[in-house]
Amino acid sequence: MTARTPPGTTGTGPGAAVPAVTLDDVRDAAGRLAGIAHRTPVLRSRTLDALVGAEVHLKCENFQRIGAFKFRGAYNALSQLSPEQLARGVVAHSSGNHAQAVALAARELGSHAVIVMPEDAPRSKRDATAGYGAEIVTYDRYTGDRAALSRRLADERGLALIPPYDHPHVIAGQGTAALELIEETGPLDALLAPVGGGGLMAGSATAATALVPGIRMIGVEPEAGDDTLRSLEAGHPVTIPVPRTIADGQAVESPGELTFAINRRLLDRIVLVTDDDIRAAMKLAFERLKIVTEPSGASALAALLARRVELPPVPGRPGRPPRPPRIGVIISGGNIGLDRFIELLSG
Amino acid sequence: MTARTPPGTTGTGPGAAVPAVTLDDVRDAAGRLAGIAHRTPVLRSRTLDALVGAEVHLKCENFQRIGAFKFRGAYNALSQLSPEQLARGVVAHSSGNHAQAVALAARELGSHAVIVMPEDAPRSKRDATAGYGAEIVTYDRYTGDRAALSRRLADERGLALIPPYDHPHVIAGQGTAALELIEETGPLDALLAPVGGGGLMAGSATAATALVPGIRMIGVEPEAGDDTLRSLEAGHPVTIPVPRTIADGQAVESPGELTFAINRRLLDRIVLVTDDDIRAAMKLAFERLKIVTEPSGASALAALLARRVELPPVPGRPGRPPRPPRIGVIISGGNIGLDRFIELLSG
C-alpha cells in the first residue's frame, strides 16, 4: 500500500474495476465501530407522523461523535491501516465534518492527522479539529490546490490520504448507520438520506437493500447541488458549477466514481429540496423534535415535509386496510454554531 | 372521591397526614406508562464529561411526549380516575407544560380536559393545548383567581382537579424518569434535577434513594425562585414574591406541601443558578449536545457547568485511583419557540 492508495482501494481511475462494497463489509465495519462510535438513538414523533401520513423513524447522527455520521467512515478506514501506516500518519482535506472525523479517528487509533483547510475556514471548525489533536495546514482558497497540497504532504511524509467519500472502507463505515436503524426498526418501505459526495447514500443502500429487498432508497440533494441527479440522468458522473446552497455538506460538484457506481445501481430516485425547504425542516426539528440539525443534516427530512417525495399507503393483507408507509430518515449531522443557526432562521 | 380530591389524596391540608410515596408507587406508575410515554434516551457527551470532570448521564425528557416530563405525572394521575370520573372530565390550571400534559393524558384515556389559562397566554401554548383536544377557559390575569375558577368548574361540572405537582400520583409519575435513568445507568453518585413545585424532584428522590442508598439528590432552583431553598432553611413551606426568571417552569412562589415534605427528607441540598448560567447551558446543549432545552429544562445542567455544585472524585478500591463521579442530570423539557430561543440567546 502506498500513501496514495489506502488499503482496500483497488483503483478507481477510469477503466479500473470498481471494488464492490457488500453487506458483510458494512457488518465488519459495525464490529470495528462497536464501543467506539455511538449507537445513535432513533427518534419518533407522532406530530411528524401525522404531518406526513407515514410512520417515520429518524436515525439521529447529529448525536454521533463529532456531531455527524462522518466519524463512522473515517474510523472504519483508519482502523484498517497497518500499524506502520498509523505510525506515519494520515492526511485529509476538508473544512467540514470529515476534518473532525479524521482527526478524532486518528486520535482514537494513536495516529497523527494532518488536515488541509482553507486559510479562511471558520475559527470554530479549525478549533474543533485542532481540539482532537490534528495538525492544521492551511492554503489560499483562491490560489491554492488543496488536492495537490494533500498529495504532496502524503508523498513527502508518507501519510495515507483519507478521502471523504470515494473509498470502499469509508462507504462501508457510513453504511453502519442504516444497518443500526434497520436492526432497530425492522423492515422499512423506504429510506431517505442526504446525498453530497454520495458516501452515506452508497453505504446505506448497500446495507438496506441487502437487509430489506424491495426497500426504496431515496437520495436527497439540494436544488443547487444536483450533481448526482444529473449524473444519473447522463449515465456517468458529471460536474456542475460550485453549488450555492445553505447545505454546505452537500455543496459538491460531482459524485465520486465508486459512490456513483453503487448509487446508480441501488437508488430508486433522487429528489431535490430548496434552501427554504431545508430551513422549514430545521425549524420543525428544533420546535417539535427538540433536536439541532445542520442544513445538510435536515435535507432528507425536508424532502418528506415539503412533499418532494410522496409515498403511498402500503396495501394490507386481504381484508385489511392499507397501512401508512414505514420510512427511515437519516438526520446526518448537527454541526452548526448558534450564531449561524440564528442567521439562517431569523425573520 | 369528589371533584376536589382526586384519588390517592388523603388530605394535605395543615395537620393532615402526608401520604407516603414509595418506590412501588413509582414502579406501578411505570407500568401504567409503558407503551404510552416515551422511554426517553439517555445521552452522553465526552466533551461535557471533560468540561465538568465527571461521568454525566443526561435523561432527556425534552424528548418526552408534549416535550417535557409533565406527561408522566398527569397520565399516572388520570389513569387512576374511575371510568365515571373520566367520563365527567378533568380540569387543570396552567399556561405551561402541565396544560398540555393533562390535555394529552385526557385524550389518551378518552376523557375531556378543561384547561384554565390566562387570556394573554402565548398563542402557541393555547394552540398546542387545544390541539390535544382540550377545552380552554380563560381568565384575566390581573383580576381573576384561577384557583377559584378551577374549583368552580370542578364543582359545577363534576370535573376532577389535577394539580401540577402536589399530589402523590403526580409525584409517582414524575419519578419514573429517574427510575428509567437508573435502570439504564446503574448506580449513580448524584442526581441533579430542577425544582419548581417540587414534583419531579420528589418523585426522582423517592425512586433514586430507594434504588441507590447514599445517592446525593441535588435540586436546582433559579436564584430568583429559591422558594424551596428558603423553605428548607425555615423548616416549613414559605412563600416568596413572584419570581422574575427566564426559567418560567420554575417560577413558583412556594413548594407544595407534599413535595416539600418529601424533598425535606430526601434531598442532599438545593443549589441556585442565575439566568446567565441557564443561558450558557442552553447554548452548550444546542452546540455540543445538539438538543433543544427550555430554560427550566437546562437548569440542572447549568448548575453542573457553572460549578454551583462540586462533586469530588470517588475513592477507588484499595490500591486503585479515585474515579470521576457518576452524575445523572434530568433535562426536564424542551418546549420553547424558535423566536423566544433566539430572543434569549442572541447577542
Side-chain angles (χ1 to χ4, degrees):
Chain A
M1 193 202 75
T2 76
R4 284 195 195 172
T5 49
T9 308
T10 59
T12 56
V18 170
V21 180
T22 67
L23 176 59
D24 280 344
D25 295 327
V26 179
R27 289 205 160 115
D28 289 346
R32 290 182 199 104
L33 290 167
I36 309 280
H38 290 315
R39 193 177 174 99
T40 51
V42 177
L43 294 184
R44 300 286 318 273
S45 160
R46 294 177 205 230
T47 305
L48 176 61
D49 286 1
L51 273 174
V52 302
E55 182 188 309
V56 184
H57 300 261
L58 301 159
K59 178 65 171 171
C60 289
E61 287 294 295
N62 49 340
F63 296 132
Q64 188 48 267
R65 294 186 73 181
I66 72 107
F69 72 95
K70 288 276 185 183
F71 178 67
R72 297 176 182 269
Y75 186 88
N76 190 49
L78 264 75
S79 64
Q80 291 177 75
L81 296 174
S82 67
E84 296 72 29
Q85 185 58 65
L86 285 174
R88 282 195 298 273
V90 299
V91 59
H93 49 79
S94 165
S95 55
N97 291 331
H98 181 58
Q100 294 178 56
V102 170
L104 178 58
R107 193 182 72 182
E108 286 283 331
L109 290 161
S111 187
H112 175 75
V114 178
I115 306 294
V116 176
M117 276 190 183
E119 272 169 4
D120 59 353
R123 167 63 52 187
S124 61
K125 304 240 170 183
R126 281 184 67 155
D127 289 351
T129 305
Y132 293 122
E135 174 188 346
I136 312 284
V137 173
T138 59
Y139 67 96
D140 183 321
R141 187 194 292 274
Y142 302 99
T143 61
D145 177 343
R146 66 177 191 173
L149 175 56
S150 302
R151 275 196 304 274
R152 187 160 59 76
L153 285 163
D155 286 345
E156 286 177 6
R157 295 171 56 175
L159 307 173
L161 188 62
I162 308 296
Y165 44 84
D166 213 21
H167 189 286
H169 296 178
V170 174
I171 292 168
Q174 318 304 28
T176 57
L179 177 67
E180 287 177 9
L181 172 62
I182 292 169
E183 280 175 358
E184 190 162 333
T185 62
L188 296 168
D189 298 305
L191 177 56
L192 276 71
V195 176
L200 176 63
M201 191 77 230
S204 300
T206 298
T209 58
L211 290 165
V212 187
I215 189 173
R216 290 184 188 187
M217 298 300 304
I218 298 168
V220 180
E221 289 191 305
E223 217 171 46
D226 60 347
D227 54 295
T228 292
L229 177 61
R230 284 172 190 249
S231 299
L232 289 171
E233 287 169 355
H236 57 83
V238 300
T239 299
I240 63 170
V242 179
R244 296 184 68 87
T245 167
I246 61 171
D248 50 337
Q250 297 176 275
V252 169
E253 291 155 65
S254 64
E257 197 160 338
L258 177 54
T259 56
F260 176 74
I262 294 171
N263 287 330
R264 184 183 184 185
R265 189 159 48 85
L266 299 180
L267 256 61
D268 186 75
R269 78 193 106 146
I270 292 274
V271 297
L272 303 179
V273 290
T274 67
D275 281 2
D276 279 348
D277 293 341
I278 292 175
R279 282 194 181 89
M282 291 171 74
K283 182 168 194 233
L284 180 124
F286 180 101
E287 292 194 327
R288 305 306 301 242
L289 311 177
K290 321 297 180 191
I291 60 172
V292 177
T293 54
E294 60 184 281
S296 306
S299 69
L301 177 62
L304 204 58
L305 285 168
R307 304 202 167 275
R308 303 296 173 189
V309 52
E310 291 280 2
L311 292 158
V314 177
R317 278 175 291 178
R320 301 278 290 277
R323 61 167 175 79
R326 305 184 78 230
I327 302 179
V329 173
I330 299 184
I331 302 290
S332 60
N335 284 331
I336 185 164
L338 181 57
D339 292 345
R340 174 66 175 155
F341 187 84
I342 290 173
E343 183 189 328
L344 285 178
L345 293 184
S346 285
Chain B
M1 193 202 75
T2 76
R4 284 194 196 170
T5 49
T9 306
T10 59
T12 57
V18 169
V21 181
T22 66
L23 176 59
D24 280 344
D25 294 328
V26 179
R27 289 208 161 113
D28 289 347
R32 290 181 199 103
L33 289 167
I36 309 280
H38 290 314
R39 193 177 175 99
T40 51
V42 177
L43 294 184
R44 299 287 317 274
S45 160
R46 294 177 203 231
T47 305
L48 176 61
D49 286 2
L51 273 175
V52 302
E55 182 187 309
V56 184
H57 300 262
L58 300 159
K59 178 65 171 171
C60 289
E61 287 295 295
N62 48 341
F63 296 132
Q64 188 48 268
R65 295 185 72 180
I66 73 108
F69 72 95
K70 288 276 186 184
F71 178 68
R72 296 177 183 267
Y75 186 88
N76 189 49
L78 265 77
S79 64
Q80 292 176 76
L81 296 173
S82 66
E84 297 72 29
Q85 184 58 65
L86 285 174
R88 282 196 298 274
V90 298
V91 60
H93 49 81
S94 166
S95 55
N97 292 331
H98 182 57
Q100 294 178 54
V102 170
L104 177 59
R107 193 182 72 183
E108 286 282 331
L109 290 161
S111 186
H112 175 75
V114 179
I115 306 293
V116 177
M117 277 190 185
E119 272 170 5
D120 58 354
R123 167 63 53 188
S124 61
K125 303 241 170 183
R126 281 184 66 154
D127 288 352
T129 306
Y132 293 123
E135 174 188 346
I136 312 284
V137 173
T138 58
Y139 68 97
D140 184 321
R141 186 194 292 273
Y142 304 98
T143 62
D145 176 344
R146 66 177 191 172
L149 175 56
S150 302
R151 276 196 305 273
R152 187 161 59 77
L153 285 163
D155 286 345
E156 287 177 6
R157 295 171 57 175
L159 307 173
L161 188 62
I162 308 295
Y165 44 85
D166 213 21
H167 189 286
H169 295 179
V170 173
I171 292 168
Q174 318 304 28
T176 58
L179 177 67
E180 288 177 9
L181 172 62
I182 292 169
E183 281 175 358
E184 190 162 333
T185 62
L188 296 168
D189 298 304
L191 178 55
L192 277 72
V195 175
L200 176 63
M201 191 76 231
S204 300
T206 298
T209 58
L211 290 165
V212 186
I215 190 173
R216 290 182 187 188
M217 298 301 303
I218 298 167
V220 181
E221 289 191 305
E223 218 171 45
D226 59 348
D227 53 296
T228 291
L229 177 61
R230 285 172 189 250
S231 300
L232 288 171
E233 288 169 354
H236 57 84
V238 300
T239 299
I240 63 170
V242 178
R244 296 183 68 87
T245 167
I246 61 171
D248 50 336
Q250 298 177 274
V252 170
E253 290 155 67
S254 64
E257 197 158 340
L258 177 54
T259 56
F260 176 73
I262 294 172
N263 287 330
R264 185 184 182 184
R265 189 161 48 86
L266 299 180
L267 256 61
D268 185 75
R269 78 193 107 147
I270 292 274
V271 297
L272 302 180
V273 290
T274 67
D275 281 2
D276 279 348
D277 293 342
I278 292 175
R279 283 193 181 90
M282 291 171 73
K283 182 169 192 227
L284 180 124
F286 181 100
E287 292 194 326
R288 304 305 303 239
L289 311 176
K290 322 299 181 190
I291 60 173
V292 177
T293 53
E294 60 185 282
S296 305
S299 69
L301 177 62
L304 204 57
L305 285 168
R307 305 203 166 272
R308 303 296 173 190
V309 54
E310 291 281 1
L311 292 159
V314 177
R317 278 176 291 178
R320 300 279 291 275
R323 61 166 176 78
R326 305 185 76 231
I327 303 179
V329 173
I330 299 184
I331 302 290
S332 61
N335 284 331
I336 184 164
L338 182 57
D339 292 345
R340 174 67 176 154
F341 187 84
I342 291 174
E343 184 188 327
L344 284 179
L345 293 185
S346 286

